[in-house]
C-alpha cells in the first residue's frame, strides 16, 4: 500500500532533503520561529520509525518553491482465516 500527502508550502531545499527524517532537524536554523510555529523536530523521525517498524519505507520529494510530497509504502499481508470445522 502506498499513501502520499502533498502540500503547497515553501518546499525543502535539496541540501536538506537527506536530513528531514532525523530527530530534531530544522532546515533553517537561522530563521527565527514565529509565535504560531510549533514543533520539536520529532514528527518525521517518529513517522519513519513507525513505518519502518511495519516493514515499510518513507520518502519525500520537494524543491524550493514547489511544496513537498511525503509518501510511505507498507506491505500488505493477507492473513488467512482459520478453517472452521464443519459439524
Amino acid at each position: 500500500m502506498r499513501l502520499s500527502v502533498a502540500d503547497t508550502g515553501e518546499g525543502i531545499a535539496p541540501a536538506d532533503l537527506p536530513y528531514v527524517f532525523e530527530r530534531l532537524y530544522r532546515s533553517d536554523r537561522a530563521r527565527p520561529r514565529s509565535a504560531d510555529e510549533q514543533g520539536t523536530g520529532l514528527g518525521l523521525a517518529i513517522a519513519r520509525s513507525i513505518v519502518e517498524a511495519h516493514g515499510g519505507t518513507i520518502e519525500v520529494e520537494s524543491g524550493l518553491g514547489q511544496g513537498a510530497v511525503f509518501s510511505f509504502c507498507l506491505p500488505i499481508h493477507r492473513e488467512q482465516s482459520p478453517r472452521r470445522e464443519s459439524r
Side-chain angles (χ1 to χ4, degrees), residues 23-24 26 38 56-57 59 65 68 70 81 87:
R23 290 184 308 135
L24 307 176
R26 285 185 52 201
Q38 297 181 14
T57 59
E59 60 189 34
F70 289 86
S81 58
R87 295 183 185 224

Side-chain angles (χ1 to χ4, degrees), residues 1-5 21 44-61 69-77:
M1 172 182 75
R2 181 177 179 88
L3 178 70
S4 297
V5 177
F21 294 104
L44 291 175
I46 292 169
R48 180 181 64 181
S49 294
I50 292 169
V51 168
E52 290 178 351
H54 290 280
T57 59
I58 190 168
E59 60 189 34
V60 60
E61 297 175 26
V69 178
F70 289 86
S71 303
F72 68 90
C73 293
L74 293 173
I76 296 177
H77 297 287

